[in-house]
Amino acid sequence: MLFTRAQGEDVVELSSAATLGTVTACTLAPSPARISGLRLKTRGRGGRHMLAWKDVESFGPDAVTVRDASRLHREKEIEAGQQTHPDHDPIGKPVLTEAGVARGTVLDIEFDEQTGRVSRLLTAEEQFSGEDLVGVGGYAVVVGDS
């Protein structure tokens, strides 16, 4: 699945069937490359929240489900260095090799909606295997020199 197709999907609480918010972005972690969290625009909860991938019950074509709202965490309370920190959002960031060579801008991510594993990072010019992901920071996505 392409992540841009998941943007705007509802996040639904299983215990009440209430819609908690919508998916706006994701965060990535390397080794193996995977979605570590989802960024949400929440309804009636004040601001943006994060949902760790491990707390996602299912990721379907129409909605993301979570056991209950207690799994959501205010985005501003996520500490730097945590894999679900908003700085680890790759979309729109430049792709740099470990040697510092610019290789485009991340436009989308192809991932497995069951496991969160990233298969490819997509730019306008080329595609990078998820296995090439070294890290994601506040400025750029870093891939191995290949």
Side-chain angles (χ1 to χ4, degrees):
M1 170 181 236
L2 293 176
F3 188 77
T4 54
R5 292 189 184 147
Q7 289 175 313
E9 276 192 22
D10 287 338
V11 176
V12 177
E13 179 181 42
L14 288 173
S15 61
S16 68
T19 299
L20 302 174
T22 56
V23 175
T24 60
C26 69
T27 59
L28 296 186
S31 301
R34 66 199 179 286
I35 294 179
S36 56
L38 299 174
R39 296 175 80 184
L40 312 176
K41 179 179 180 184
T42 54
R43 298 179 182 164
R45 297 185 181 280
R48 300 195 177 271
H49 285 73
M50 297 297 298
L51 173 64
W53 184 265
K54 67 180 179 61
D55 293 325
V56 170
E57 292 292 323
S58 69
F59 199 109
D62 300 318
V64 175
T65 60
V66 61
R67 183 153 316 282
D68 58 66
S70 69
R71 306 295 180 168
L72 303 183
H73 301 282
R74 291 179 152 271
E75 189 173 281
K76 64 183 179 182
E77 295 172 359
I78 305 292
E79 295 181 24
Q82 289 185 327
Q83 291 183 341
T84 57
H85 192 276
D87 279 353
H88 298 278
D89 176 4
I91 305 275
K93 289 185 178 168
V95 176
L96 301 175
T97 66
E98 290 176 292
V101 177
R103 301 281 295 269
T105 300
V106 177
L107 300 177
D108 214 337
I109 302 159
E110 185 177 71
F111 72 103
D112 181 306
E113 60 269 20
Q114 299 296 315
T115 66
R117 190 160 189 140
V118 173
S119 55
R120 294 185 299 161
L121 301 170
L122 309 170
T123 71
E125 299 82 25
E126 57 189 308
Q127 302 174 13
F128 300 91
S129 168
E131 295 175 7
D132 293 334
L133 180 67
V134 174
V136 181
Y139 173 72
V141 173
V142 179
V143 295
D145 294 315
S146 48

